[in-house]
């Protein structure tokens, strides 16, 4: 499992940095961090949400400047501050947490844009651009349509585009800030094997992920950050996931499986029969009773997200019927869905879930303004303020003040704001599409217990997740979707992770 | 075919064809080569400014001050030409220098102070135009240098009517076309052109791939200034007089034509061919209304309706285009064979 391959270690340091400090208004994101990465090494960065991982990466690739006093050594060059151009010249490529793609440009151009914008060429060769794009995608074994605009791709496909873009020929250090959040095992495996190949060629990789197992299988060394300070740097062969979790958080968590304590009874909250949407999913029969947590897993492009969108009125089905709390619904609009008590945490939190420039509190209360109107139709500010603090507390959102803009939060904390926003509506049917993507282990289990508590009070929950463990340990039933159909159902009290993985692998072939 | 149908340009072209048919049915004089050359000549002025607007819109900005820039370039150049003599080449050169400077000032201010471009350029519009009125005292110039007249009469292609009168493709139309071809090449085949799209798509991402966002911004506004100044000279050639107040006020029509041609006010989107069709659509509506003897006061009403209709219909189409993964639905065993999606 662990590949602490000591034969290739520690001959040459590709990059080393000392005394890295970074202060944003109100927070010290990094304190005196030292860091180094060897050529040909796979190095992981671990830490809870807001511990400064993305900030450190942004300094390494030159998009943010370290505060005075830093030294950054790459090969023979020594810098006190690194610019993006310098970093690119040293072959430092990044897959950003927010992907940083161009929605208005095609897949081809997004992938080849690094080549277009570097060097001294003033003219574009579209033929070359096409070759670059095709080759980059071949490396991870995908073939997205080259002429499609990135804005029209799903989150997972966008992530694949971002990965392809970073795999240029002159890459020396590949940095990945949670590159696999929306991907399933198949794509993750392809990516990991590419990383291993690159490392054989002497390319260093720096990797951030909250999927600790994934991290342990590839890493040579792991640097742990906590609250902006470096806790230490460990050989992956010396620690395991439990130890790592302890280093990151100071505690360890454990999963308690969810069992339905009542019988499935009464009117089902959700009942779909033969729901179909052309090119998305087909003949979906799905019934969810109050108090149930139903998990849906499967391969990428199995139609799960599209089904969730349909249930939330975003993607009207072409045929079939659906009732919510016994009442038939047309699923034609979000307003209808919300008024029926449906809430949906979207997969793509940046574009669908948040107003990034607005404050944290405004984002949280956005969905419940109607419930907090005074008799004059004005907003009840005090009530709202209390609500905000309540959710910030319950979800342990790390913020300097509720009035700072959401875009200043770390990725995982942004995701918690989305959750807070929808939990606040107190829905009867709660749909969560990959709800804990990018959330650290400790916070993950606290979010899971919040969801379980809500279900115990009678809410019906639908969780879509690529992590089989997540659905298995938090749901009473797990459904597997493949190519637009539900192909299997498992009772989580009598199933193991391996059973489901084997079932998926079998059907994927 | 499907590709063609998906394009905004195709829609605008369709609308142009429909209008042309209607107008011709009422007045057959519309569909003559003579009228076509005439439309192309009298709209070269708008069309050249539209090229600049297109660049600014693609980069995610907006410029309100270009009509003021055009007027200043036109007025000052003609004054200089009258004082020191010169030639047509000198006139264009002098106008370009003025236009580029005024435009670059816009670009610099917008990038340096991060004030929204609409505010910045409203401010500079008032500043530029105000200064011009103060110093020119609003005086018109009627006596242009002789070479303005001879140049304006040059035809690149000359044909004769049945009565033996000459007509043809004017030099200003040719100038407009050349500028469009060069701009299209710049946008599509150069790194600078692609940087403009990148900045319009996402300025932060552009910075991260090594684009100098500041240089791109300054370039597009300077380019806008350059196009405005050329348009200013073209206006002088067409009208054979210079009035300090004749251009200002046309900004919004030019912007509308470009948006009509598919450029987005949100940035990142737009093509030269679309822009050309947008300009032509408004030109044809105007020309057609004259030919159909509709009172000129109705013009604005029609322009408004045309813009609403064409922008509305194409964004309705965009809305229908759904975001999605490529789902390959498992085919059912017969008799219910489901067509495999992408
Ligand atoms: N632009 C900014 N302005 C103010 N504060 C910021 C800004 N960017 C980051 N921060 C703060 O710096 C701290 C570290 O953030 P960072 O994004 O590095 O965390 P992270 O380790 O990547 O977390 P996650 O796992 O959630 O992505 C956080 O407290 C965050 O709120
Ligand atoms: Mg982060």
């Amino acid at each position: 499992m662990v590949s602490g391959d000591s034969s290739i270690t520690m001959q040459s340091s590709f990059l080393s940095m000392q005394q890295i400090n970074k202060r944003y208004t109100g927070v010290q994101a990094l304190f005196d961090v030292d860091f180094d990465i060897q050529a040909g090494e796979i190095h992981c960065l671990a830490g809870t949400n807001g511990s400064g991982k993305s900030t450190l990466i942004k300094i390494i690739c030159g998009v943010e400047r370290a505060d005075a006093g830093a030294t950054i050594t790459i090969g023979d060059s020594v810098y006190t501050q690194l610019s993006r151009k310098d970093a690119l010249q040293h072959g430092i490529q990044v897959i950003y947490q927010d992907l940083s793609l161009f929605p208005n440009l095609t897949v081809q151009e997004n992938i080849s844009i690094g080549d277009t914008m570097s060097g001294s060429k003033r003219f574009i060769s579209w033929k070359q651009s096409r070759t670059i794009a095709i080759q980059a995608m071949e490396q991870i074994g995908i073939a997205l349509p080259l002429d499609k605009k990135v804005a029209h791709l799903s989150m997972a496909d966008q992530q694949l585009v971002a990965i392809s873009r970073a795999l240029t020929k002159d890459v020396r250090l590949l940095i990945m800030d949670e590159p696999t959040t929306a991907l399933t095992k198949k794509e993750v495996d392809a990516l990991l094997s590419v990383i291993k190949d690159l490392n054989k060629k002497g390319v260093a990789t720096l990797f951030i992920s909250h999927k600790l197992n994934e991290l342990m299988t590839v890493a040579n060394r792991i640097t742990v950050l906590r609250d902006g300070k470096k806790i230490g740097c460990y050989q992956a062969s010396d620690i395991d996931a439990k130890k790592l979790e302890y280093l990151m958080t100071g505690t360890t968590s454990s999963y308690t499986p969810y069992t339905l304590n009542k019988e499935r009874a009464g009117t089902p909250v959700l009942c779909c029969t033969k729901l179909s949407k052309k090119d998305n999913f087909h003949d979906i029969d799905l019934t969810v009773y109050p108090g149930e947590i139903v998990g849906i897993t499967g391969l990428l492009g199995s139609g799960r997200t599209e089904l969730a969108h349909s249930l939330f009125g975003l993607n009207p089905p072409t045929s079939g019927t659906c009732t919510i709390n016994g009442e038939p619904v047309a699923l034609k609009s979000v307003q209808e869905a919300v008024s029926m008590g449906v809430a949906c945490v979207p997969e793509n939190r940046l574009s669908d879930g948040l107003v990034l420039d607005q404050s944290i509190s405004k984002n949280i209360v956005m969905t419940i303004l109607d419930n907090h109107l005074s008799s004059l139709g004005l907003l009840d500010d005090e009530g709202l303020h209390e609500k905000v603090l309540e959710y910030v507390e319950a979800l342990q959102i790390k913020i300097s003040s509720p009035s700072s803009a959401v875009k200043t939060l770390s990725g995982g904390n942004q995701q918690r704001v989305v959750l807070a926003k929808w939990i606040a509506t107190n829905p009867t049917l709660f749909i969560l599409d990959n709800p804990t993507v990018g959330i650290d282990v400790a916070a993950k289990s606290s979010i899971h217990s919040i969801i379980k508590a809500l279900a115990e009070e009678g809410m019906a929950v639908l969780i879509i997740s690529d992590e089989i463990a997540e659905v298995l340990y938090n749901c009473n039933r797990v459904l597997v979707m493949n190519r637009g159909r539900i192909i299997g159902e498992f009772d989580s009290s009598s199933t193991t992770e391996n059973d489901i993985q084997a079932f998926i692998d079998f059907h994927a072939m | 075919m499907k590709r063609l149908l998906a394009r905004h340009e195709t829609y605008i072209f369709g609308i142009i064809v429909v209008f042309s048919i209607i107008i011709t049915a009422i007045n057959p004089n519309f569909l003559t080569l003579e009228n076509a050359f005439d439309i192309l000549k009298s709209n070269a002025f708008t069309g050249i400014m539209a090229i600049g607007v297109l660049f600014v819109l693609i980069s995610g900005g907006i410029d309100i001050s270009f009509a003021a820039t055009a007027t200043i370039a036109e007025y000052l150049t003609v004054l200089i030409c009258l004082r020191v003599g010169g030639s047509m080449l000198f006139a264009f050169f002098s106008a370009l220098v003025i236009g580029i400077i005024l435009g670059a000032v816009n670009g610099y201010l917008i990038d340096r102070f991060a004030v929204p471009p609409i505010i910045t350029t409203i401010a500079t519009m008032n500043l530029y135009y105000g200064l011009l009125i103060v110093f020119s005292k609003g005086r018109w110039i009627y006596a242009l240098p002789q070479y303005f007249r001879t140049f304006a009469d040059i035809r690149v292609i000359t044909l004769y009517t049945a009565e033996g009168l000459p007509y043809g493709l004017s030099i200003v139309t040719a100038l407009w076309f050349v500028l469009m071809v060069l701009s299209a090449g710049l946008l599509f085949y150069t790194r600078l052109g692609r940087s403009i799209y990148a900045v319009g798509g996402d300025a932060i991402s552009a910075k991260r791939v090594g684009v100098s966002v500041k240089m791109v911004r300054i370039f597009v506004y300077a380019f806008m200034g350059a196009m405005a100044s050329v348009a200013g000279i073209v206006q002088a050639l067409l009208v054979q007089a210079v009035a300090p107040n004749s251009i200002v006020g046309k900004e919004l029509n030019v912007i509308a034509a470009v948006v009509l041609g598919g450029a987005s006010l949100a940035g990142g989107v737009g093509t030269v061919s679309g822009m050309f069709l947008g300009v032509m659509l408004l030109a044809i509506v105007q020309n057609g209304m004259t030919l159909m003897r509709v009172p000129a006061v109705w013009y604005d009403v029609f322009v408004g309706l045309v813009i609403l209709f064409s922008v509305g219909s194409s964004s309705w189409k965009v809305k229908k285009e759904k975001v999605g993964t490529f789902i390959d639905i498992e085919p059912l065993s017969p008799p219910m064979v489901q067509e495999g999606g992408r």
Side-chain angles (χ1 to χ4, degrees):
Chain A
M1 187 114 216
V2 176
S3 59
D5 196 346
S6 54
S7 59
I8 54 153
T9 42
M10 323 301 116
Q11 326 92 331
S12 59
S13 170
F14 173 75
L15 169 143
S16 82
M17 41 209 275
Q18 281 83 38
Q19 299 273 308
I20 305 297
N21 280 288
K22 179 74 191 178
R23 191 168 176 80
Y24 288 113
T25 35
V27 253
Q28 180 90 22
L30 293 171
F31 283 100
D32 277 345
V33 173
D34 295 352
F35 179 79
D36 79 286
I37 184 159
Q38 315 286 324
E41 175 188 34
I42 304 182
H43 197 121
C44 287
L45 211 49
T48 55
N49 294 134
S51 57
K53 303 180 299 297
S54 296
T55 308
L56 184 63
I57 276 184
K58 284 182 192 152
I59 289 172
I60 297 177
C61 66
V63 288
E64 292 275 3
R65 303 291 166 94
D67 294 344
T71 21
I72 302 172
T73 318
I74 306 177
D76 301 328
S77 332
V78 181
Y79 302 87
T80 50
Q81 297 214 309
L82 198 65
S83 76
R84 182 72 193 115
K85 275 241 152 69
D86 297 332
L88 280 170
Q89 241 144 44
H90 287 287
I92 300 180
Q93 289 288 346
V94 196
I95 302 166
Y96 297 91
Q97 194 164 13
D98 57 8
L99 301 185
S100 223
L101 295 172
F102 300 94
N104 58 326
L105 302 181
T106 60
V107 169
Q108 170 184 337
E109 205 174 356
N110 265 283
I111 295 177
S112 63
I113 198 158
D115 179 73
T116 312
M117 297 301 167
S118 66
S120 53
K121 305 180 297 284
R122 290 181 181 280
F123 294 93
I124 312 272
S125 154
W126 287 101
K127 221 170 120 194
Q128 189 185 344
S129 145
R130 205 171 179 84
T131 322
I132 290 175
I134 292 174
Q135 281 173 355
M137 290 201 286
E138 270 172 4
Q139 283 196 61
I140 48 173
I142 55 165
L144 299 174
L146 288 170
D147 295 325
K148 194 145 174 117
K149 285 204 176 157
V150 160
H152 299 152
L153 294 181
S154 72
M155 191 62 196
D157 288 341
Q158 291 190 18
Q159 219 161 39
L160 293 171
V161 172
I163 293 171
S164 309
R165 181 172 74 176
L167 298 175
T168 57
K169 55 184 184 310
D170 51 358
V171 56
R172 308 278 305 125
L173 169 61
L174 178 60
I175 302 180
M176 297 185 278
D177 197 348
E178 299 191 44
T180 58
T181 47
L183 304 184
T184 57
K185 198 164 172 303
K186 184 165 147 250
E187 291 83 21
V188 174
D189 286 345
L191 177 63
L192 295 184
S193 73
V194 175
I195 293 176
K196 284 184 180 152
D197 271 358
L198 287 174
N199 284 85
K200 288 204 192 91
K201 295 180 199 150
V203 176
T205 310
L206 179 56
F207 198 83
I208 295 183
S209 173
H210 288 292
K211 300 180 182 171
L212 297 186
N213 295 328
E214 182 180 297
L215 208 139
M216 301 296 302
T217 53
V218 282
N220 300 125
R221 287 193 300 161
I222 300 173
T223 294
V224 179
L225 294 177
R226 194 196 295 173
D227 293 331
K229 297 192 197 75
K230 178 171 164 181
I231 299 291
C233 180
Y234 308 87
Q235 290 291 330
S237 46
D238 297 345
I239 54 176
D240 59 12
K242 268 252 140 20
K243 174 88 186 296
L244 184 58
E245 188 184 333
Y246 179 77
L247 290 167
M248 282 164 57
T249 62
T251 55
T252 50
S253 61
S254 58
Y255 269 121
T256 45
Y258 183 73
T259 45
L260 198 61
N261 41 18
K262 285 175 293 214
E263 276 296 294
R264 292 169 58 177
T267 347
V269 175
L270 174 72
C271 179
C272 309
T273 30
K274 293 217 174 292
L275 207 61
S276 303
K277 164 89 188 180
K278 190 170 177 295
D279 293 345
N280 281 187
F281 49 80
H282 201 79
D283 275 354
I284 301 292
D285 289 328
L286 177 60
T287 311
V288 185
Y289 286 89
E292 269 202 299
I293 307 182
V294 176
I296 303 182
T297 185
L299 291 167
L300 204 61
S302 59
R304 300 167 306 176
T305 296
E306 289 70 16
L307 176 62
H309 280 171
S310 292
L311 293 177
F312 194 49
L314 281 167
N315 182 21
T318 34
S319 67
T321 55
C322 181
T323 61
I324 289 175
N325 293 323
E327 285 180 48
V329 281
L331 301 175
K332 286 245 163 60
S333 77
V334 176
Q335 286 89 324
E336 181 196 26
V338 170
S339 71
M340 300 297 290
V342 183
C344 179
V345 173
E347 169 190 42
N348 182 352
R349 60 175 174 256
L350 291 182
S351 69
D352 300 342
L354 289 171
V355 187
L356 286 176
D357 287 319
Q358 289 277 14
S359 73
I360 296 157
S361 52
K362 282 201 180 127
N363 269 283
I364 294 182
V365 301
M366 199 149 66
T367 49
I368 51 166
L369 293 178
D370 286 352
N371 312 347
H372 285 266
L373 295 179
S374 68
S375 47
L376 287 172
L378 298 175
L379 283 178
D380 164 20
D381 267 344
E382 215 151 278
L384 282 176
H385 189 70
E386 261 167 37
K387 263 272 173 316
V388 170
L389 291 182
E390 188 185 317
Y391 287 111
V392 167
E393 168 93 25
L395 294 168
Q396 302 156 9
I397 306 176
K398 187 184 164 187
I399 56 173
S400 49
S401 128
S403 59
S404 36
V406 164
K407 69 175 173 201
T408 68
L409 289 182
S410 78
N413 283 303
Q414 291 182 3
Q415 175 72 349
R416 295 183 206 189
V417 173
V418 181
L419 280 171
K421 181 180 116 174
W422 286 110
I423 292 177
T425 63
N426 195 18
T428 53
L429 174 64
F430 198 14
I431 304 170
L432 301 125
D433 194 352
N434 278 310
T436 58
V437 151
I439 289 187
D440 67 55
V441 267
K444 226 178 200 168
S445 53
S446 67
I447 286 173
H448 289 149
S449 25
I450 292 175
I451 295 174
K452 285 178 194 165
L454 291 170
E456 260 149 26
E457 286 165 22
M459 186 187 290
V461 183
L462 208 53
I463 301 182
I464 295 172
S465 175
D466 302 315
E467 263 183 276
I468 296 174
E470 175 163 39
V471 282
L472 188 63
Y473 298 130
N474 295 297
C475 303
N476 55 307
R477 275 194 295 152
V478 177
L479 307 175
V480 178
M481 274 185 83
N482 186 25
R483 299 173 74 189
R485 293 168 194 283
I486 294 179
I487 55 166
E489 173 166 347
F490 295 86
D491 187 334
S492 57
S493 56
S494 57
T495 317
T496 68
E497 242 176 278
N498 288 339
D499 292 345
I500 300 182
Q501 187 62 56
F503 181 78
I504 292 177
D505 290 345
F506 175 75
H507 282 274
M509 288 187 307
Chain B
M1 185 61 205
K2 211 171 157 194
R3 278 277 266 299
L4 210 61
L5 269 182
R7 292 185 62 133
H8 180 85
E9 283 89 335
T10 320
Y11 278 73
I12 300 299
F13 187 73
I15 297 175
I16 290 181
V17 170
V18 171
F19 270 112
S20 304
I21 294 173
I22 297 174
I23 300 168
T24 314
I26 296 174
N27 186 340
N29 281 338
F30 173 77
L31 209 64
T32 58
L33 219 46
E34 201 180 344
N35 190 40
F37 283 139
D38 201 47
I39 295 179
L40 287 175
K41 181 177 180 184
S42 51
N43 282 281
F45 160 70
T46 315
I48 293 173
M49 287 200 288
I51 301 175
V53 172
L54 176 71
F55 275 53
V56 172
L57 289 189
I58 293 175
S59 81
I62 192 160
D63 191 342
I64 306 289
S65 71
F66 60 86
T69 306
T71 317
I72 293 190
E74 177 189 15
Y75 202 90
L76 285 184
T77 299
V78 170
L79 276 189
I80 294 171
C81 286
L82 286 173
R83 289 276 157 81
V84 304
S87 64
M88 211 53 232
L89 204 63
F90 173 77
F92 275 113
F93 178 76
S94 136
L96 277 173
V97 170
I98 298 169
I100 289 174
I101 292 175
L102 295 182
V105 167
N106 276 335
Y108 176 77
L109 292 175
I110 288 164
D111 188 78
R112 178 73 179 75
F113 300 108
V115 181
I118 190 160
I119 307 290
T120 312
T121 55
I122 286 177
T124 52
M125 170 187 78
N126 285 303
L127 180 73
Y128 295 165
Y129 186 58
L131 285 175
L132 179 71
I133 295 299
V134 169
F135 286 104
S136 71
K137 304 203 179 62
R139 272 194 300 261
W140 289 48
I141 305 176
Y142 293 104
L144 301 193
Q146 179 55 37
Y147 50 80
F148 269 74
R149 168 136 320 186
T150 24
F151 188 80
D153 288 339
I154 299 176
R155 277 186 294 270
V156 180
I157 302 171
T158 308
L159 302 170
Y160 293 92
T161 58
E163 295 86 50
L165 294 173
Y167 70 97
L169 186 76
S170 161
I171 183 91
V172 296
T173 310
L175 178 64
W176 177 28
F177 280 20
V178 168
L179 288 174
M180 280 200 292
V181 171
L182 291 179
S183 313
L186 191 154
L187 283 179
F188 197 70
Y189 287 111
T190 70
R191 174 155 96 183
L192 178 61
R194 300 325 287 173
S195 310
I196 299 175
Y197 282 95
V199 170
D202 189 330
I204 293 177
S205 302
K207 212 174 225 157
R208 287 176 178 177
V209 292
V211 173
S212 167
V213 175
K214 179 178 176 172
M215 290 321 290
V216 168
R217 292 226 170 100
I218 293 180
F219 171 80
V220 292
Y221 288 97
F223 182 82
M224 170 82 254
M227 290 300 118
S229 64
V230 172
I233 298 297
V234 166
Q235 171 80 347
L237 289 169
L238 291 174
V239 184
Q240 292 296 328
V242 178
N245 58 357
S246 70
I247 307 179
V248 172
K250 300 232 170 91
E251 307 76 1
L252 294 183
N253 278 348
V254 181
I255 294 174
V258 178
V259 172
L260 202 52
S264 157
L265 288 172
V269 186
T271 60
V272 173
S273 54
M275 173 225 96
F276 173 68
L277 291 173
V279 171
M280 286 316 286
L281 178 53
L282 289 193
I284 286 171
V285 170
Q286 185 169 27
N287 177 265
M289 290 181 57
T290 318
L291 290 181
M292 294 189 293
R293 302 217 176 70
V294 180
V297 285
W298 282 96
Y299 173 64
D300 289 342
V301 176
F302 271 90
V303 168
L305 288 176
V306 168
I307 294 175
L308 277 182
F309 178 73
S310 31
V311 173
S313 67
S314 77
S315 57
W316 178 74
K317 187 179 80 44
V318 170
K319 222 175 113 183
K320 284 207 315 189
E321 188 164 346
K322 275 306 291 180
V323 174
T325 347
F326 298 98
I327 297 169
D328 161 29
I329 294 188
E330 188 164 20
L332 259 192
S333 40
M336 272 190 60
V337 180
Q338 173 81 12
E339 204 179 286
R342 265 292 325 232

